[in-house]
Amino acid sequence: LDEALDDEYQAWATYDQVISDFGEVAPFRHIREAEARHIAALRTLFARYGLAAPENPWPGQVPRFGSLTEACAAGVAAEVANTALYDRLLAATERPDILGVFRRLQAASQERHLRAFERCAQGFGGSGGYRWGRGGGRWGGA
């Protein structure tokens, strides 16, 4: 749970930084909202198991990008890495509630976020082309 939550925190903080740098641009504003829902789902699991959920350590600690195109390309790489993370985490538990949340989060990443960033990196889906990426888990280097 810690690893999943940290990755979602990092994603949220990175999207938030992109929005701070470039304004309320798609797909970042929508995916940042989705990341907030992912965080809430994971924090619910922490509460269910009587665990203290750590706070988000990532604001101000994430990469910054020179352009939206660069940010979107990094987003593609991050969502691919997120899929691999959840593949590993799914193999590490048998708890049905945790498996259900992990599967939903992985599906959102694969089916919605990755596609949005791929379109964005190719210059479709908003005001100009965009790209992006992450440190630690998905973001490789922050």
Side-chain angles (χ1 to χ4, degrees):
L1 288 176
D2 284 337
E3 198 170 349
L5 184 59
D6 186 66
D7 188 67
E8 300 299 340
Y9 276 158
Q10 188 179 19
W12 184 92
T14 302
Y15 294 123
D16 193 60
Q17 185 65 59
V18 170
I19 290 166
S20 291
D21 291 343
F22 298 104
E24 291 283 334
V25 294
F28 298 95
R29 70 175 179 253
H30 303 295
I31 298 175
R32 179 185 61 180
E33 293 168 8
E35 298 296 351
R37 290 188 301 272
H38 298 179
I39 289 165
L42 290 166
R43 288 179 68 91
T44 297
L45 290 172
F46 274 84
R48 182 174 298 149
Y49 287 97
L51 303 170
E55 294 302 315
N56 189 344
W58 290 103
Q61 305 299 315
V62 295
R64 297 182 78 174
F65 305 99
S67 69
L68 288 172
T69 301
E70 184 184 315
C72 287
V76 170
E79 296 303 334
V80 169
N82 180 260
T83 296
L85 170 72
Y86 279 111
D87 282 344
R88 190 171 49 73
L89 295 178
L90 284 162
T93 187
E94 295 179 4
R95 295 177 186 264
D97 54 344
I98 294 174
L99 288 169
V101 170
F102 284 0
R103 285 184 184 121
R104 285 190 300 279
L105 299 184
Q106 184 183 51
S109 181
Q110 289 175 329
E111 297 167 13
R112 291 185 290 284
H113 303 181
L114 177 59
R115 290 178 185 170
F117 283 127
E118 287 172 338
R119 285 189 306 270
C120 174
Q122 295 170 0
F124 302 104
S127 55
Y130 340 68
R131 300 192 188 181
W132 87 307
R134 300 185 189 181
R138 294 187 230 189
W139 299 103

